Amino acid sequence: MASPKIRVGALERIPSVKEWRQSSPRLPAAARLLEAERSHRIFPLLLEEIVALGFSRALVAGVDFETGEVAPTASINFRKTVLQRFCTSLKARGKPLIGVLHGGQPAVLPTGPSRRSLYCHPIIFRARTKCWEAERRHAGGCLAVDNQHGRRKLRLPEQVCSICGLRAYAALVVVELEKGAEECDLTGLCALVDMANRSLSRLSKVEHDYHRIIDLQNTIVRMQTAMSSMTDLRRAGEEVRAQSERLRAAEEKVERRMLEIERFAATGRLAGTIAHEINNPMEAIKNAIYLLSGKVAPEAVPVYNILKSETERVGRIVRQMLGLYRSTEQVGHVDVNSVIEDTLLLFSRPLQQDSIRVKADLGTLPAAVGSADQLRQVLSNLVVNAKDSMEKGGTLYIRTRSMTDADPLQGFIRIVIGDTGSGIPKALQDRIFEPFVSTKGAKGTGLGLWIVKGIIESHGGQISLRSKVGKGTVVKIDLPVVR
């Protein structure tokens, strides 16, 4: 294969948003990239839009910074035998694909697997402006801005932000060109890939911020569990009872502090959700203001400058709100049964003290997609809720099953957690997953089930609840599995 040939000419200038909207009949479809709410949806949508532009085959080769491997992660209309030819390594700089990836600019390779030219477009986490943390600290080293100006290398630790700890992504979009492809076709294709990269960068930042606030909640739950296990000391002698009184006072102080932190976490999540919804129209407004530059009448320039500066100020406020979310945790494959066993072991002593029996029926399960710590937080919340509802003792039921879907490629894990406790009043059941709704009175914050629902939905799962006063409560959770 020949060495990569960087196309300048028509590819050197990326059309503006206004030009792209005027020239592309696929605007409603291309806008799907900007409306995507999860980062993992960007590549499938991008491939669909590439085919809609008239190109027959396309793929995305992702970079694993830990191993240095480059391999296809999504494709359309390519055979498996052909996809294997795109597997390589970041260290193989002599290969044309890797040369394009390190070069950071679109290129056309003269000969591909089908003896047709290949359009290659590298994408990486980037942004034109610093995040709110970098601006607040007046510090350099913002990963997104450094990547925008080509100041970072495609390897670890260069692709970890020194300000917020975000781990970047990198990939290569490869499109097989038909014979006689026009320069205007490649210009539209280039603009489409850049639009997808902007959406992917924005969603990656939002998801990174969200998971960090979940980490804070995990720490709070661990502290609560540790404090509850210390109550055994109260049953000792006079010296131990005196020590217990001091510990109880400290526990109340910590619980008040944890309540404040938990409310702050909830506020941060609400602020981040609102900021995420505001961010998209703000970007459109900023683009419109940019397009008006140079077309404003001289007498209207002062008003235009005010509009521009105030819009930038709103953008900074939105970025500050998004900065309330942050997490460095990586999603992987999770053994759900092991997480359940660990959680039951952690709460075994408190459950025994309250005369609560545990009946676990754990089936054979495939791996789930998600975070073990976050699922452990979900189970801890549900076990604590069940324990609190059985003040006079009872039975805690936990069952897991592997379920199939109508689509043979789909499947999910079902977790059922039931108790024989006091139950939830019917008037509260429709609102039980809303923030600050609780059946525990002053003892509860009303945030536990709300956070549980948010974690399950962030894993692509579903949660439902049914309860009867005086009989008990059953919670059902469905999680997607690894295929």
Side-chain angles (χ1 to χ4, degrees):
M1 185 179 290
S3 59
K5 178 182 179 183
I6 303 298
R7 298 292 294 270
V8 289
L11 289 184
E12 187 176 25
R13 177 183 177 272
I14 305 301
S16 66
V17 173
K18 182 177 180 180
E19 293 171 339
W20 171 248
R21 290 178 176 175
Q22 291 176 346
S23 63
S24 173
R26 293 289 299 172
L27 175 60
R32 296 161 62 198
L33 294 170
L34 299 176
E35 296 173 355
E37 296 181 354
R38 303 283 176 80
S39 60
H40 68 267
R41 289 290 300 146
I42 293 298
F43 286 153
L45 289 174
L46 174 60
L47 294 179
E48 292 176 8
E49 295 308 310
I50 290 174
V51 172
L53 285 177
F55 300 96
S56 58
R57 296 180 181 87
L59 65 86
V60 176
V63 176
D64 186 335
F65 287 117
E66 295 287 351
T67 63
E69 295 180 355
V70 179
T73 57
S75 65
I76 188 166
N77 297 334
F78 271 109
R79 296 191 303 273
K80 291 184 178 179
T81 55
V82 176
L83 292 176
Q84 294 176 355
R85 303 181 187 180
F86 291 93
C87 296
T88 181
S89 170
L90 276 177
K91 299 179 181 178
R93 291 179 175 267
K95 292 190 176 183
L97 288 176
I98 301 303
V100 174
L101 194 56
H102 283 290
Q105 295 296 327
V108 174
L109 305 184
T111 305
S114 302
R115 298 188 180 277
R116 294 183 178 180
S117 298
L118 297 177
Y119 173 80
C120 303
H121 195 126
I123 62 177
I124 190 172
F125 175 72
R126 64 180 63 184
R128 296 185 180 92
T129 58
K130 296 180 180 179
C131 66
W132 74 274
E133 284 185 300
E135 289 185 346
R136 185 183 63 181
R137 299 179 187 178
H138 301 289
C142 179
L143 177 61
V145 175
D146 287 349
N147 282 339
Q148 179 71 25
H149 299 286
R151 293 194 288 261
R152 298 285 188 109
K153 296 181 180 180
L154 289 182
R155 64 185 184 187
L156 290 179
E158 278 83 354
Q159 287 303 313
V160 177
C161 184
S162 59
I163 303 298
C164 65
L166 183 145
R167 294 166 63 95
Y169 63 85
L172 187 67
V173 179
V174 180
V175 182
E176 185 177 88
L177 301 179
E178 302 293 339
K179 293 182 178 180
E182 299 292 336
E183 292 291 331
C184 60
D185 296 335
L186 298 186
T187 303
L189 177 59
C190 180
L192 179 63
V193 177
D194 280 343
M195 182 188 299
N197 191 31
R198 289 195 297 271
S199 297
L200 184 57
S201 296
R202 182 176 64 253
L203 290 175
S204 297
K205 180 65 173 175
V206 170
E207 291 170 358
H208 171 75
D209 294 343
Y210 169 76
H211 289 302
R212 195 168 183 180
I213 204 70
I214 297 300
D215 273 354
L216 176 61
Q217 177 64 20
N218 290 339
T219 302
I220 295 173
V221 171
R222 293 191 187 99
M223 293 175 63
Q224 290 173 329
T225 304
M227 294 301 296
S228 64
S229 65
M230 295 175 63
T231 57
D232 290 342
L233 298 175
R234 300 173 185 171
R235 300 179 182 181
E238 291 297 329
E239 182 180 355
V240 177
R241 283 196 295 269
Q243 179 67 18
S244 177
E245 291 297 325
R246 291 192 292 269
L247 290 175
R248 187 183 297 112
E251 180 182 356
E252 292 175 354
K253 183 177 180 180
V254 171
E255 286 179 351
R256 288 194 298 270
R257 180 57 179 165
M258 287 192 296
L259 178 61
E260 295 174 0
I261 295 174
E262 195 172 40
R263 290 185 181 275
F264 173 76
T267 303
R269 183 178 174 190
L270 288 172
T273 302
I274 296 171
H276 174 68
E277 295 300 325
I278 295 175
N279 194 48
N280 288 340
M282 280 302 305
E283 288 296 326
I285 293 173
K286 288 168 64 178
N287 288 335
I289 293 174
Y290 174 79
L291 293 175
L292 289 174
S293 178
K295 300 180 180 180
V296 179
E299 61 272 16
V301 169
V303 177
Y304 173 82
N305 291 334
I306 293 174
L307 176 63
K308 182 178 178 181
S309 62
E310 290 301 306
T311 302
E312 292 173 350
R313 186 166 70 89
V314 174
R316 288 193 298 271
I317 294 173
V318 170
R319 289 193 296 273
Q320 290 172 357
M321 294 173 69
L322 288 173
L324 290 173
Y325 286 160
R326 187 146 291 112
S327 172
T328 57
E329 184 170 5
Q330 301 297 309
V331 174
H333 297 175
V334 180
D335 185 346
V336 173
N337 283 342
S338 295
V339 174
I340 293 175
E341 291 169 354
D342 293 344
T343 304
L344 292 178
L345 179 62
L346 182 65
F347 287 97
S348 59
R349 179 70 63 86
L351 292 174
Q352 290 176 2
Q353 291 175 351
D354 290 344
S355 301
I356 297 174
R357 294 177 299 167
V358 178
K359 291 187 177 181
D361 180 12
L362 307 182
T364 302
L365 304 178
V369 181
S371 162
D373 282 343
Q374 292 183 28
L375 293 181
R376 188 173 290 108
Q377 178 188 356
V378 168
L379 293 168
S380 298
N381 267 297
L382 296 178
V383 169
V384 169
N385 286 348
K387 170 181 170 295
D388 293 343
S389 70
M390 296 184 284
E391 296 180 352
K392 298 181 180 180
T395 304
L396 173 65
Y397 300 91
I398 297 184
R399 185 180 66 188
T400 61
R401 291 291 185 270
S402 176
M403 313 296 289
T404 57
D405 202 285
D407 185 350
L409 297 179
Q410 300 292 328
F412 57 93
I413 292 172
R414 175 160 291 171
I415 306 171
V416 178
I417 302 177
D419 63 69
T420 57
S422 57
I424 301 172
K426 188 174 182 180
L428 288 181
Q429 290 183 25
D430 292 338
R431 301 188 298 113
I432 197 64
F433 291 107
E434 297 178 3
F436 309 115
V437 176
S438 175
T439 61
K440 302 179 183 179
K443 295 181 179 180
T445 63
L447 297 173
L449 287 179
W450 176 58
I451 293 175
V452 164
K453 184 174 185 292
I455 293 175
I456 295 301
E457 290 180 348
S458 72
H459 281 67
Q462 296 179 342
I463 184 171
S464 59
L465 177 148
R466 54 187 174 89
S467 182
K468 189 172 182 180
V469 176
K471 298 294 185 180
T473 302
V474 177
V475 178
K476 182 177 68 176
I477 298 172
D478 291 336
L479 293 172
V481 300
V482 177
R483 291 297 187 190

